Amino acid sequence: MSVRVVVADDQEIVRTGLAMILDAQPGIEVVGQAPDGARAVELARRLRPDVCLFDIRMPVLDGIEATRRLAGPDVDDPLAVVVITTFDLDEYVYAALRAGAKGFLLKNAGAALLSQAVHAAAGGDALIAPSVTARLLGAFARSGPVTPPVAPAEALTYREEQILLTVARGRTNGEIAEEMHISVSTVKSHVASLMTKLGARNRVEIAMWAYETGRL
């Protein structure tokens, strides 16, 4: 089955371009487009897509608030949201990640990376543009957490600490498996354990925890 995507961007040419790129990718279908955040939220709640791809800066309701309403900590059945922006150090990106976004891309990302991000989000992973992962999360950490980092419910194992660092560096499950010479299913098991111990909802929150606790 195809991954169903809703795209929201206030610039028609960008919105249409993203939709065309995604529709041309194997296993992806754009099921809706919205010109602002309010319309995007309404459309997403009605269509329940597998992934929402939102611009951060939109009229009526910006991408941060749209993300919070669909994927925030108070949402019972959150949707997967990937935010997309022109600026790799845009302060709004940090807020979007805190609001529940599973990852972000730059608007100059190629079709392959865009497709990877959508498939990753649909599969429960998160993909952050590799070229800016360290800069983004480093800046996020320097800005200071809103609340102190949560202590793990249970001490992390040595292998989980290793997986934690690779996730924080933006590695995919496949890349981690290859780097550590273990199976992808084993990586997924460790990531799931990290989420449980840290109370994280996705890989981005795992990465933010790593930065907040000074591991990177």
Side-chain angles (χ1 to χ4, degrees), residues 13 26 34-37 77-78 96 105 111 125 129 155 162 170 177 191 209 215:
I13 190 169
D36 60 65
D77 189 15
L105 292 175
D125 291 339
Q162 290 181 306
V191 172
W209 188 87
R215 282 167 164 77

Side-chain angles (χ1 to χ4, degrees), residues 121-161:
D125 291 339
L127 190 151
I128 299 176
S131 62
V132 295
T133 297
R135 290 172 60 195
L136 171 70
L137 292 176
F140 171 89
R142 289 192 298 274
S143 71
V146 175
T147 57
V150 63
E154 183 182 338
L156 304 187
T157 65
Y158 175 72
R159 179 63 89 181
E160 286 169 349
E161 288 280 1

Side-chain angles (χ1 to χ4, degrees), residues 54-215:
F54 290 170
D55 183 23
I56 285 186
R57 295 180 175 179
M58 294 188 289
V60 186
L61 195 70
D62 64 28
I64 298 169
E65 184 57 32
T67 298
R68 184 176 293 110
R69 295 187 186 188
L70 296 173
D74 298 325
V75 178
D76 292 331
D77 189 15
L79 292 172
V81 179
V82 174
V83 296
I84 188 164
T85 180
T86 303
F87 308 104
D88 60 357
L89 288 179
D90 190 332
E91 64 180 358
Y92 293 113
V93 176
Y94 317 142
L97 295 179
R98 284 192 172 113
K102 302 200 86 170
F104 89 94
L105 292 175
L106 302 182
K107 286 187 178 179
N108 63 1
L113 192 58
L114 188 59
S115 176
Q116 287 178 41
V118 167
H119 282 293
D125 291 339
L127 190 151
I128 299 176
S131 62
V132 295
T133 297
R135 290 172 60 195
L136 171 70
L137 292 176
F140 171 89
R142 289 192 298 274
S143 71
V146 175
T147 57
V150 63
E154 183 182 338
L156 304 187
T157 65
Y158 175 72
R159 179 63 89 181
E160 286 169 349
E161 288 280 1
Q162 290 181 306
I163 299 290
L164 174 73
L165 296 181
T166 59
V167 169
R169 294 185 178 111
R171 303 287 197 275
T172 65
N173 285 345
E175 290 170 339
I176 295 171
E178 183 176 355
E179 182 178 326
M180 294 190 171
H181 306 290
I182 56 180
S183 68
V184 172
S185 61
T186 298
V187 175
K188 288 182 178 179
S189 178
H190 284 307
V191 172
S193 179
L194 282 170
M195 288 183 183
T196 298
K197 290 183 177 182
L198 302 180
R201 293 169 300 165
N202 53 55
R203 297 165 77 93
V204 172
E205 292 188 355
I206 291 176
M208 289 192 293
W209 188 87
Y211 273 86
E212 289 176 345
T213 55
R215 282 167 164 77

Side-chain angles (χ1 to χ4, degrees), residues 30-62:
V30 175
V31 296
Q33 299 181 43
D36 60 65
R39 294 272 294 279
V41 169
E42 185 277 328
L43 195 62
R45 285 174 173 169
R46 177 162 53 86
L47 297 178
R48 299 296 300 179
D50 300 301
V51 178
C52 299
L53 182 66
F54 290 170
D55 183 23
I56 285 186
R57 295 180 175 179
M58 294 188 289
V60 186
L61 195 70
D62 64 28

